[in-house]
């Protein structure tokens, strides 16, 4: 029996995932859900209305990952998604409460609503969106940390996540910001010098709101940076230079991963299946317009754009998000689906005869009568997960954890938890060890050890598969200082230095690597199920077994899972410096 169409937030339930002790056969859950032929899509099990009414914790599944209490590192590890849309976006459909309920069902601790900036949003959406946000925060309490934000059309650039700490001036600042600085509202999309300057002015405005306390905190992370090639390397650098406490990195792995499913849209992962345009940076190669193992080319290329930023010593962090507009496998659909949308930025009509143009809102979704496989976004928490080490369970602590780089990202619950530490061999205590995002300082050449503790998956993921970790790679780079060429896209000193074969190993894996630290450096780690690999974009000497380039229509996202960590930095002080 299907769910009540009047409550589109509660899709038909699928069989509950098996526990780790049951060790289900691969695709057993998919067959049970009747979706084995649908490219690995299972209908999301949401709390019933009765469960939701019971208040905090009702219907919430057990979450994989680090424990929620302070661990040995003193942090509470919280998992979230900073790129979700609601009915106040011109190409989405869920109510804010729907997205919150779906996030709780997906095991998330925090989410950010990032509706698109455009004229209808500026004219109509912000006040009612604010009311819905306050109501959802009241309903879910501290069970789910709800942030409001914006998918900002940055002048001369692509889309960008804006995250605001909750406060009384959220809507006021958002209204002013969209009207003054959203490229779609002020007609500032082309990559002109004037529009580039406007982007920097906008970031200065955000810095000022934080400094004056109008917003308690604010963060910016460019989304899907290589998709259209219009975020140039010099712009990325200029954005962070203009607001170093606000611009903290980019979306290292895009959402829209369900777009790749063969029985669905059969397009590129992340909808990366276009090419360059007149506004694209000419230095980006053709391969940059595709994902590699589902990750943005800037992130996936060892010694590439991300590493070129880290090699400068920039604290430039990566995340992953669902880019949740709709839900692949949900039993609901957008009421405008019957009418053709001819372009990404077009504003379609809804079936009630009104327009988003004049209302700034879509009606709630309707019952599709079947699992919808044509949508490109997975449900919140189903595939893309960003883990953040926070000092406590609060909005501000999540934002500070993100700014500090205490983050790792994962596809399809490939692993359950991760702890990564760089320490001086033979020394204990905080000054002699550093975790994700932190810096280990040593005097002169020093023997150090990277220590990884990884908990492998012990229960099936959203697709009904039990992931198996096959390999873990350690990537080491040198910090060489500010690049002379602001358009540089390579870091020649960065490469994979060791790999661990983890095939067939379960439980807690302890992986170690000792070496002599002689120069300022950084270390980062990635892991894979090993199903799709090829030499990295810069060659096998740099990356012998990297992620494979994704061919649109030929890759099932569930059969190519990866995790990536943010780096740990190391600083070597010389005797001459007096350190």
């Amino acid at each position: 029996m299907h769910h009540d169409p009047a409550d589109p937030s509660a899709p038909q339930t699928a069989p509950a995932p098996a526990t780790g002790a049951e060790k289900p056969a691969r695709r057993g859950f998919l067959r049970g859900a009747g979706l084995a032929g649908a490219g690995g899509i299972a209908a999301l099990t949401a709390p019933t209305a009765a469960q939701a009414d019971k208040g905090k914790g009702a219907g919430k599944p057990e979450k994989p990952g680090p424990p929620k209490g302070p661990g040995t590192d003193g942090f509470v590890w919280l998992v979230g998604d900073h790129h979700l849309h609601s009915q106040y976006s011109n190409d989405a459909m869920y109510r804010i409460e729907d997205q919150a309920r779906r996030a709780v069902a997906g095991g998330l601790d925090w989410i950010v609503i990032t509706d698109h900036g455009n004229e209808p949003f500026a004219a109509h959406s912000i006040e009612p969106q604010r009311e819905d946000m306050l109501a959802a925060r009241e309903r879910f309490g501290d069970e789910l940390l709800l942030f409001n934000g914006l998918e900002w059309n940055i002048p001369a650039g692509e889309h960008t996540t804006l995250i605001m700490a909750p406060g009384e001036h959220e809507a006021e600042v958002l209204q002013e910001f969209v009207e003054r600085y959203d490229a779609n509202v002020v007609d500032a999309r082309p990559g002109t010098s004037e529009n580039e300057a406007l982007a920097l002015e906008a970031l200065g405005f955000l810095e000022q709101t934080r400094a004056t306390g109008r917003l308690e905190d604010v963060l910016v992370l460019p989304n899907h940076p290589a998709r259209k090639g219009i975020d140039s390397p010099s712009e990325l650098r200029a954005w962070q230079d203009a607001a170093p406490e606000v611009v903290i990195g980019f979306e290292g792995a895009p959402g829209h991963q369900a777009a790749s499913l063969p029985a669905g849209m059969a397009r590129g992962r992340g909808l990366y299946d276009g090419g360059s345009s007149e506004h694209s940076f000419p230095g980006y190669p053709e391969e940059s317009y595709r994902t590699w193992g589902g990750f943005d080319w800037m992130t996936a290329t060892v010694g590439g754009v991300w590493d070129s930023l880290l090699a400068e010593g920039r604290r430039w962090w990566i995340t992953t998000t669902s880019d949740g507009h709709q839900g692949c496998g949900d039993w609901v659909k957008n009421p405008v689906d019957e009418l053709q949308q001819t372009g990404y930025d077009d504003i379609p009509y809804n079936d009630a005869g009104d327009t988003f143009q004049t209302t700034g809102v879509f009606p709630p979704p309707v019952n599709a009568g079947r699992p919808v496989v044509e949508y490109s976004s997975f449900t919140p928490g189903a595939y893309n997960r960003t883990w953040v080490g926070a000092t406590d369970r609060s909005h501000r602590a999540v934002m500070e954890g993100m700014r500090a780089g205490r983050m790792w990202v994962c596809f399809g619950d490939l692993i359950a938890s991760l702890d990564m530490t760089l320490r001086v061999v033979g020394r204990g205590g905080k000054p002699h060890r550093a975790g994700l995002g932190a810096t280990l300082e040593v005097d002169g050449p020093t023997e150090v050890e990277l220590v990884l503790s990884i908990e492998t998956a012990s229960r099936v993921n959203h697709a009904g598969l039990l992931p198996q970790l096959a390999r873990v790679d350690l990537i080491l780079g040198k910090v060489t200082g500010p690049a002379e060429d602001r358009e540089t896209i390579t870091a020649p000193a960065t490469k994979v230095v060791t790999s661990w074969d983890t095939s067939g190993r379960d439980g807690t894996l302890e992986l170690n690597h000792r070496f002599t630290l002689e120069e300022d450096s950084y270390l980062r780690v990635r892991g894979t199920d090993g199903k799709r690999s090829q030499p990295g974009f810069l060659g096998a000497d740099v990356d012998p077994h990297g992620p494979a380039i994704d061919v649109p229509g030929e890759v099932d996202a569930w059969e190519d899972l990866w995790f990536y960590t943010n780096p740990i930095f190391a600083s070597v002080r010389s005797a001459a410096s007096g350190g």
Side-chain angles (χ1 to χ4, degrees):
M1 183 175 67
H2 297 260
H3 69 282
D4 182 356
D7 184 13
S9 63
Q12 175 173 307
T13 60
T19 65
E22 294 172 356
K23 293 286 183 179
R26 287 169 52 79
R27 296 208 180 269
F29 178 43
L30 294 180
R31 286 194 295 271
L35 291 170
I41 307 168
L44 176 64
T45 302
T48 64
Q51 287 174 321
D53 286 342
K54 290 180 181 179
K56 185 171 67 175
K60 192 173 186 179
E62 177 189 356
K63 300 175 188 176
K68 295 302 176 289
T72 56
D73 56 9
F75 298 116
V76 182
W77 286 89
L78 304 175
V79 62
D81 185 336
H82 72 71
H83 189 175
L84 287 166
H85 294 266
S86 79
Q87 62 187 154
Y88 296 104
S89 284
N90 61 290
D91 54 359
M93 66 181 185
Y94 289 106
R95 297 167 296 193
I96 290 175
E97 182 176 323
D98 297 336
Q99 289 288 47
R101 185 180 293 114
R102 295 163 83 242
V104 169
L108 298 185
D109 297 293
W110 58 270
I111 61 172
V112 187
I113 299 298
T114 54
D115 287 314
H116 288 292
N118 49 43
E119 291 183 1
F121 180 81
H124 307 291
S125 302
I126 293 175
E127 182 177 347
Q129 183 205 52
R130 169 68 170 170
E131 294 175 0
D132 288 352
M133 176 63 67
L134 293 177
R137 285 176 181 157
E138 177 68 22
R139 181 181 182 89
F140 290 92
D142 63 1
E143 178 186 19
L144 180 72
L145 300 173
L146 272 159
F147 294 87
N148 201 9
L150 176 73
E151 185 158 25
W152 172 33
N153 300 292
I154 189 168
E158 245 270 43
H159 296 169
T160 301
T161 284
L162 168 66
I163 307 173
M164 300 182 293
E168 62 178 322
H169 299 297
E170 281 175 273
E172 168 192 308
V173 170
L174 184 59
Q175 187 76 57
E176 182 178 353
F177 186 78
V178 171
E179 291 177 353
R180 291 175 59 178
Y181 297 118
D182 189 88
N184 277 0
V185 175
V186 298
D187 192 21
R189 294 310 296 266
T192 65
S193 58
E194 292 81 7
N195 289 343
E196 290 180 0
L198 185 63
L200 301 184
E201 179 185 326
L203 292 167
F205 170 86
L206 293 176
E207 280 272 28
Q208 186 67 12
T209 64
R210 183 170 178 265
T212 60
R214 286 184 72 194
L215 293 177
E216 291 190 6
D217 205 354
V218 59
L219 298 174
V220 164
L221 298 101
N223 297 331
H224 37 75
R227 188 183 66 172
K228 295 184 178 180
I230 59 177
D231 289 350
S232 71
S234 62
E235 284 178 291
L236 295 175
R237 291 176 165 90
W239 295 341
Q240 187 173 66
D241 290 346
E245 293 297 306
V246 172
V247 180
I248 62 168
F250 53 36
E251 190 183 69
H256 292 301
Q257 295 280 333
S260 69
L261 297 177
M265 300 180 75
R267 289 185 56 182
R269 295 174 78 169
L271 298 177
Y272 279 52
D273 47 23
S276 61
S277 70
E278 61 177 319
H279 301 300
S280 301
F281 173 64
Y284 291 145
E286 180 181 350
E287 293 87 348
S288 70
Y289 295 94
R290 300 291 179 266
T291 52
W292 293 62
F295 276 72
D296 188 281
W297 173 83
M298 294 189 187
T299 301
T301 300
V302 174
V305 175
W306 183 29
D307 286 313
S308 76
L309 297 167
L310 297 177
E312 291 189 82
R314 291 180 182 273
R315 273 43 181 177
W316 191 279
W317 318 121
I318 64 163
T319 60
T320 188
T321 75
S322 68
D323 200 347
H325 290 72
Q326 301 92 11
C328 192
D330 276 4
W331 287 70
V332 293
K333 64 179 180 178
N334 194 317
V336 304
D337 283 347
E338 289 77 9
L339 298 176
Q340 182 68 30
Q341 297 184 38
T342 58
Y344 185 83
D345 292 319
D346 287 354
I347 299 174
Y349 288 81
N350 67 43
D351 61 356
D354 297 325
T355 67
F356 187 91
Q357 182 77 35
T358 58
T359 64
V361 61
F362 279 134
V366 297
N367 191 343
R370 61 177 176 82
V372 182
V373 299
E374 298 87 359
Y375 286 143
S376 61
S377 303
F378 283 121
T379 52
Y383 191 81
N384 307 72
R385 286 171 168 253
T386 296
W387 287 94
V388 177
T391 54
D392 58 63
R393 191 182 180 90
S394 67
H395 293 85
R396 290 293 303 280
V398 168
M399 296 180 79
E400 285 297 338
M402 294 179 74
R403 179 178 287 110
R406 293 191 297 269
M407 295 187 288
W408 59 278
V409 302
C410 188
F411 284 169
D413 293 332
L414 173 61
I415 60 174
S417 71
L418 177 147
D419 182 76
M420 177 171 160
T421 303
L422 182 65
R423 65 189 184 191
V424 176
V425 173
R427 303 292 295 272
K430 188 173 181 180
H432 306 292
R433 60 193 303 123
L436 293 177
T439 301
L440 177 67
E441 295 186 347
V442 299
D443 294 316
T446 303
E447 188 179 13
V448 297
E449 181 179 35
L450 182 77
V451 180
L452 274 172
S453 178
I454 297 173
E455 188 73 24
T456 62
S458 61
R459 63 189 198 125
V460 298
N461 60 21
H462 184 72
L465 307 177
L466 182 62
Q468 299 289 324
L469 182 66
R471 190 183 74 250
V472 176
D473 302 317
L474 171 61
I475 298 159
L476 176 66
K478 304 299 182 185
V479 176
T480 54
E484 292 183 10
D485 180 3
R486 302 272 289 184
E487 300 289 19
T488 188
I489 58 174
T490 60
T494 301
K495 63 174 58 180
V496 175
V497 294
T498 194
S499 295
W500 295 274
D501 184 349
T502 59
S503 301
R505 299 174 63 181
D506 293 320
T508 301
L509 308 183
E510 300 290 345
L511 308 175
N512 305 75
H513 179 70
R514 286 192 180 190
F515 65 103
T516 300
L517 183 65
E518 298 180 330
E519 305 173 72
D520 290 356
S521 306
Y522 65 89
L523 303 93
R524 60 184 183 87
V525 167
R526 72 181 182 203
T528 176
D529 61 5
K531 295 179 179 177
R532 295 182 69 249
S533 290
Q534 70 178 66
F537 178 74
L538 295 178
D541 290 343
V542 174
D543 186 7
H545 303 290
I549 191 171
D550 294 317
V551 179
E554 297 184 12
V555 180
D556 185 336
W558 292 109
E559 300 293 341
D560 188 20
L561 303 179
W562 293 79
F563 78 80
Y564 281 58
T565 73
N566 276 293
I568 298 173
F569 284 87
S571 174
V572 181
R573 298 173 296 200
S574 66
S577 70

